[in-house]
Amino acid sequence: MEERSKNTFYVTTPIYYVNDVPHIGHAYTTIIADALARYQRLKGKKVFFLTGTDEHGQKIEKTAIEKELNPQQLADRVVVRFKELWQKLNISYDYFIRTTEKFHEEGVQKIFKKLLEKGDIYKGIYQGWYCISEENFLSEDVPLEADGYKICPDCGRRATMIEEESYFFRLSAYQKPLLEFYEANPQFVRPQTRMNEVVSFVRQGLKDLSITRTTVKWGIPVPGDPKHTIYVWFDALHNYLTGIGYDWNPELFQTFWPADVQLIGKDILRFHAIFWPAFLLASELPLPRTILGHGWWLKDEAKMSKSKGNVLDPNIILESVGADPLRYFLLREIPIGQDGNFSHEAFVHRVNSDLANDLGNLVQRTLTMAVNYFNGSLEKLGPEEEIDKKLAQSFEETKNRVYAFYDDYNLNRALEEIWGYLNYTNKYLAECQPWKIAGKSETHPRLARILYQAACALRAASYLIYPVMPQTTEKIWKLLGQSKKPAEICAADLNFYERPESFSIRRPEALFPRINLQEFIKDTKKPEGEINQPIRREEKMEYISFDEFKKMDLRVAKVLAAERVPNTNKLLKLQIDLGSEQRQIIAGVAESYSPEELVGKEFIIIANLQPAVIRGIESQGMLLAAEVEGKAIIPFFDREIPPGTKVK
Ligand code: MSP
């Protein structure tokens, strides 16, 4: 394929799994991509920004079962959440791809077939440790136990060695070409430490990769052999091609491939830095220019997880402060590549000090003086003095450094530079002391000049902020009476001076109200969004007949003994008394109750529910509980009742 013209820019985010609603980590990747896309558009490039959702595979299949949905329904619901969030965050993507879209599925099948014919994919036997209760192959790094078996890390049961027919991708054949490619393109993976990690991994040797499953139904069928589905990563990675027209719009594809920058989190580095280029080499397509790996956001120094209940829902922060402060915080606080810690304190500090004080106050002071002293219209300027020239010159230098940082995907450094310049402008005002010369007609031209210089500085510096805080720049430009929107000016044409030399300035309102830490903590401590929450309202009630209800045998059960199911967070194994018999049930209540507190308690169970095997243990019935914020709350009785009593 020919090297395409340099006037285009293609940026991608990973496509997000639809087994859960979006959180701050997903927002982070997407905001970085958005800032890069916006900057490149300012430079006049033709940009394609692709994001989307990864909808196939076992993970999604499983969650759908838990939520009593089919996988497509689950995906349809979660996709709405992603799209809503991207809208609130002002994400300017060009296309949102879903891997369940037909054109994607067909594209992946076509690539699969091509590689099969070429011999890069072949059929073989996959041997591996398989967990029967989890229906999953264990990953290779699970260690062998002393007795020669492996234990499933999910359910704690012994796995069995099994063989399964599978298609393999000839990854081993690409070890050498990959190493040569890394050598010739040392900037392929950034930051450098990640590149080193990848190189040393590949040097150790690569095994062929099993890329189909017969145990997963929710996936793209292998063309001509539909009992196999294509492994979710082979499917998902190719979205970067199908999303820009591979196999359906050659012109679009030709315009944008190869990608300029592909954003990923450090956890999916190997997929993108090893498998992905190997797949592309096999398809004889050019490789992306940069894989940019970012770090992880922690919450109060701990990894975010559902079970800890510390997952940050960006929607709640957005409701409280809007998009730009969140975008700014995430991009300013850490360099891309490092882990960051999201604490309410750090967030409030950044907003109050950088946004409300440094930027907000500067806008407020300058524009208020322009309105008070000149009715907002700055004309008849006095001559430019040395200090004024320096302000303009320093901007030119700042601008060049900022552009260089943006070009280098170094967003936090670009922001630091801009803030350095804002502080310089604050100092300029402090030195010139315009408030001291106000009201005297002989100093009128000098006063106008000072405020004009400050307004020029604001206009120009706020332009540089646009990729990160587009709404803020637009607001400032509007207050300055600019007839154009910032995005209508090309980066190369940005000058410090506004010509003709006049502004018509409006009285400003506070751009960033200061946040009170305690109130912010209170406002943002609402429970995280759940997949099922808002959708329930739209669902129609499905009535059952009384006869259907009567089929349920609801009984009072008394707990005789209780213990945790090993290696699970949610499950308890309960021995219960049903009056005429004793039974064992597995209940997902361990996050709300300890085993000890349940012994002696009575509740309702469905006694005639077909027994089920949960995590390898038989459960002979199901207790009734309400689900509150993901936790099960059991309705107990207000008096003792003989076990086995019927409930109607
Ligand atoms: N579906 C795959 C990607 C396929 S791309 C062909 C996937 N999805 S994911 O939803 O689990 O994660 C998507 C991205 O979110 C990853 O880049 C991951 O690193 C990022 N993050 C998830 N949690 C994160 C944090 N706590 N902090 C920062 N980013 C994190 O992987």
Side-chain angles (χ1 to χ4, degrees):
M1 206 169 119
E2 276 172 40
E3 175 77 346
R4 63 178 172 74
S5 94
K6 286 272 183 283
N7 200 32
T8 60
F9 187 83
Y10 178 29
V11 52
T12 66
T13 72
I15 46 170
Y16 304 107
Y17 286 130
V18 288
N19 61 333
D20 211 346
V21 290
H23 60 65
I24 207 91
H26 306 129
Y28 179 53
T29 323
T30 316
I31 292 170
I32 299 176
D34 187 62
L36 298 182
R38 284 178 186 273
Y39 169 67
Q40 295 292 336
R41 288 192 201 108
L42 288 184
K43 279 179 66 175
K45 292 225 179 164
K46 198 166 156 186
V47 171
F48 202 100
F49 169 11
L50 182 72
T51 189
T53 39
D54 189 353
E55 304 189 359
H56 290 127
Q58 200 166 29
K59 225 188 236 289
I60 315 299
E61 219 171 42
K62 260 188 164 177
T63 310
I65 293 170
E66 280 164 30
K67 304 269 172 204
E68 294 169 21
L69 298 168
N70 69 44
Q72 189 67 60
Q73 284 172 323
L74 172 71
D76 291 348
R77 288 176 180 202
V78 176
V79 161
V80 174
R81 295 305 192 85
F82 275 96
K83 288 192 172 169
E84 274 171 6
L85 179 60
W86 299 159
Q87 197 181 5
K88 287 190 210 162
L89 277 167
N90 278 310
I91 302 298
S92 60
Y93 59 79
D94 292 287
Y95 191 66
F96 186 107
I97 187 168
R98 302 182 55 182
T99 53
T100 48
E101 287 178 276
K102 204 160 182 321
F103 73 86
H104 169 77
E105 297 187 342
E106 286 174 356
V108 171
Q109 283 179 324
K110 200 147 184 184
I111 293 165
F112 190 98
K113 221 166 137 211
K114 199 168 109 186
L115 300 194
L116 187 66
E117 282 159 11
K118 200 173 159 249
D120 273 318
I121 292 179
Y122 63 91
K123 203 174 191 175
I125 299 292
Y126 182 82
Q127 258 199 345
W129 291 95
Y130 188 78
C131 170
I132 295 170
S133 74
E134 292 288 311
E135 293 181 46
N136 201 5
F137 280 102
L138 271 51
S139 83
E140 294 226 340
D141 46 21
V142 174
L144 269 182
E145 298 294 312
D147 59 3
Y149 283 87
K150 287 195 179 188
I151 300 293
C152 170
D154 294 325
C155 71
R157 305 190 73 199
R158 221 189 216 190
T160 340
M161 173 61 105
I162 68 157
E163 290 188 341
E164 187 193 283
E165 189 183 85
S166 170
Y167 288 84
F168 287 83
F169 173 74
R170 220 176 274 287
L171 187 62
S172 56
Y174 287 94
Q175 181 190 15
K176 206 163 156 263
L178 282 174
L179 288 171
E180 283 164 6
F181 173 76
Y182 301 147
E183 175 109 30
N185 299 277
Q187 290 268 304
F188 173 60
V189 174
R190 293 180 54 187
Q192 187 61 44
T193 47
R194 302 252 180 260
M195 180 81 259
N196 302 343
E197 210 178 285
V198 168
V199 172
S200 73
F201 185 84
V202 174
R203 277 212 188 109
Q204 286 165 25
L206 294 174
K207 280 198 198 147
D208 289 352
L209 188 69
S210 159
I211 52 161
T212 62
R213 299 284 182 268
T214 49
T215 44
V216 178
K217 296 282 156 280
W218 181 239
I220 303 177
V222 167
D225 197 355
K227 77 170 193 285
H228 293 263
T229 55
I230 297 176
Y231 173 47
V232 64
W233 274 98
F234 187 90
D235 161 355
L237 284 163
H238 285 98
N239 91 86
Y240 303 131
L241 303 182
T242 58
I244 47 153
Y246 178 87
D247 195 38
W248 59 271
N249 186 340
E251 199 191 321
L252 183 70
F253 185 65
Q254 188 76 22
T255 308
F256 288 106
W257 189 257
D260 290 85
V261 58
Q262 304 210 260
L263 283 155
I264 57 158
K266 59 182 184 179
D267 52 315
I268 54 175
L269 177 68
R270 286 187 192 169
F271 296 98
H272 284 81
I274 303 172
F275 298 173
W276 178 223
F279 294 159
L280 288 167
L281 287 171
S283 283
E284 293 164 28
L285 287 168
L287 308 195
R289 300 209 165 87
T290 303
I291 302 289
L292 188 57
H294 64 70
W296 268 50
W297 279 96
L298 308 173
K299 174 73 185 77
D300 297 325
E301 308 292 349
K303 195 172 164 182
M304 284 185 253
S305 78
K306 271 227 132 158
S307 55
K308 279 194 215 137
N310 66 347
V311 181
L312 275 169
D313 180 349
N315 287 294
I316 294 171
I317 299 170
L318 285 172
E319 267 170 39
S320 162
V321 295
D324 279 1
L326 181 60
R327 291 174 62 112
Y328 176 78
F329 174 80
L330 293 176
L331 300 187
R332 172 72 195 263
E333 193 71 0
I334 48 163
I336 296 174
Q338 277 181 24
D339 288 346
N341 180 41
F342 196 109
S343 71
H344 285 74
E345 291 76 5
F347 183 80
V348 169
H349 178 73
R350 276 263 172 238
V351 173
N352 286 350
S353 121
D354 298 12
L355 301 184
N357 284 354
D358 298 344
L359 176 60
N361 280 351
L362 179 62
V363 172
Q364 190 76 20
R365 280 159 89 192
T366 310
L367 304 199
T368 308
M369 284 190 281
V371 172
N372 287 351
Y373 306 150
F374 296 99
N375 228 351
S377 138
L378 295 174
E379 286 157 8
K380 300 203 182 81
L381 315 177
E384 229 180 327
E385 294 184 5
E386 205 42 43
I387 190 167
D388 309 326
K389 284 188 192 149
K390 267 197 180 160
L391 188 67
Q393 197 187 330
S394 166
F395 176 76
E396 289 306 318
E397 289 158 15
T398 302
K399 180 179 81 176
N400 293 337
R401 283 196 298 266
V402 169
Y403 286 171
F405 282 130
Y406 275 141
D407 281 323
D408 197 34
Y409 311 140
N410 210 334
L411 302 176
N412 77 312
R413 289 289 291 117
L415 290 171
E416 269 173 42
E417 284 290 338
I418 303 169
W419 255 254
Y421 185 73
L422 292 174
N423 290 331
Y424 185 72
T425 311
N426 267 321
K427 275 199 202 110
Y428 168 85
L429 285 177
E431 266 180 53
C432 295
Q433 300 189 314
W435 47 90
K436 280 212 169 151
I437 54 173
K440 299 176 199 155
S441 62
E442 66 278 15
T443 49
H444 222 82
R446 178 68 197 138
L447 181 61
R449 165 60 69 181
I450 296 170
L451 295 181
Y452 171 74
Q453 294 297 111
C456 286
L458 272 179
R459 172 183 163 278
S462 67
Y463 177 89
L464 301 181
I465 300 172
Y466 176 83
V468 178
M469 296 201 288
Q471 285 178 326
T472 301
T473 309
E474 281 174 7
K475 267 193 214 158
I476 296 175
W477 276 44
K478 214 165 157 193
L479 290 172
L480 288 167
Q482 298 293 288
S483 54
K484 287 197 171 164
K485 291 200 162 191
E488 288 163 15
I489 309 277
C490 187
D493 300 334
L494 175 73
N495 291 316
F496 176 82
Y497 286 111
E498 158 76 341
R499 309 264 190 232
E501 292 171 339
S502 69
F503 275 102
S504 61
I505 289 171
R506 300 180 197 182
R507 185 174 291 283
E509 283 163 29
L511 276 185
F512 299 103
R514 292 179 67 82
I515 309 179
N516 174 293
L517 177 63
Q518 294 320 320
E519 278 170 24
F520 181 62
I521 292 178
K522 206 170 78 212
D523 286 352
T524 50
K525 281 263 155 71
K526 291 173 202 156
E528 191 211 347
E530 269 287 324
I531 294 174
N532 282 334
Q533 265 173 15
I535 297 114
R536 284 232 170 104
R537 276 184 255 128
E538 291 162 22
E539 272 173 4
K540 275 212 325 232
M541 180 69 78
E542 263 190 43
Y543 292 101
I544 57 164
S545 67
F546 186 62
D547 280 339
E548 280 171 295
F549 170 72
K550 271 204 314 199
K551 282 191 200 152
M552 270 194 283
D553 191 3
L554 300 172
R555 301 271 168 178
V556 175
K558 182 170 188 164
V559 180
L560 302 171
E563 62 181 295
R564 282 184 186 278
V565 176
N567 298 313
T568 69
N569 292 325
K570 283 199 170 178
L571 302 184
L572 292 184
K573 185 162 93 176
L574 307 175
Q575 306 302 330
I576 52 170
D577 182 1
L578 270 186
S580 54
E581 60 174 317
Q582 284 186 11
R583 287 199 196 175
Q584 163 180 298
I585 64 168
I586 302 297
V589 296
E591 286 180 319
S592 315
Y593 305 97
S594 66
E596 301 71 27
E597 74 186 291
L598 281 186
V599 175
K601 287 261 166 42
E602 291 184 316
F603 46 61
I604 304 169
I605 71 155
I606 307 184
N608 61 342
L609 192 70
Q610 206 160 34
V613 178
I614 301 174
R615 298 281 166 133
I617 310 168
E618 188 172 1
S619 180
Q620 303 149 334
M622 185 175 87
L623 64 75
L624 298 189
E627 199 188 277
V628 184
E629 293 166 29
K631 293 191 178 157
I633 308 295
I634 305 174
F636 296 113
F637 294 100
D638 63 358
R639 66 204 64 189
E640 238 199 298
I641 296 172
T645 304
K646 206 163 163 42
V647 179
K648 305 188 274 193

